[in-house]
Amino acid sequence: MTVKEFYDTIGSDYNAALARLMDDAFITKLLTRFKADQNYANLLATMDGGDYKAAFTAAHTLKGLALNMGMDGLGNAASELTEALRGDSPDGEKGKTLLPAVVSEYKKVSDALSALLG
């Protein structure tokens, strides 16, 4: 799989990512780092444990990583979850309803990363 095919597979704009991140080699380097990032695992654990402030931090970081790397579906799903968990009174129940979209988008990205990076 090529980097362009990775973006096509996850339904994101390769040309926009390329414009922001300069070349396929740099994108691949960032995607390798993303694959090892623990924010998704932290998000799942903190949501499961009801620690919605910590879940906010993990969702916010995941959102930033995804959007900066052009993974629009994951970034947008994480953004919605971030907003539900933002502030002094995070809406954990709404967060629980939004989490499956993040899980689905993350799986799509993860599967494509496995095809790209091995």
Side-chain angles (χ1 to χ4, degrees):
M1 173 179 280
T2 66
V3 173
K4 181 180 183 328
E5 291 168 335
F6 166 81
Y7 282 96
D8 291 344
T9 299
I10 65 169
S12 291
D13 186 346
Y14 167 73
N15 290 322
L18 188 61
R20 187 181 315 94
L21 302 173
M22 301 187 336
D23 63 38
D24 284 2
F26 187 59
I27 293 171
T28 301
K29 181 178 178 179
L30 292 177
L31 291 173
T32 301
R33 288 183 181 175
F34 180 83
K35 188 174 181 180
D37 184 79
Q38 293 299 304
N39 280 290
Y40 177 71
N42 292 342
L43 173 62
L44 296 180
T46 53
M47 285 295 292
D48 188 47
D51 185 353
Y52 302 124
K53 289 187 179 193
F56 166 81
T57 300
H60 190 268
T61 303
L62 184 62
K63 171 191 82 165
L65 290 171
L67 290 176
N68 281 322
M69 293 173 54
M71 295 183 275
D72 302 328
L74 177 58
N76 292 334
S79 181
E80 288 186 43
L81 179 57
T82 297
E83 292 311 309
L85 301 176
R86 185 180 296 282
D88 292 332
S89 300
D91 188 345
E93 291 307 310
K94 184 173 182 183
K96 289 177 186 177
T97 66
L98 295 171
L99 185 60
V102 176
V103 171
S104 176
E105 289 296 327
Y106 188 88
K107 182 175 179 355
K108 188 186 308 181
V109 168
S110 180
D111 290 348
L113 281 174
S114 292
L116 176 66
L117 303 173

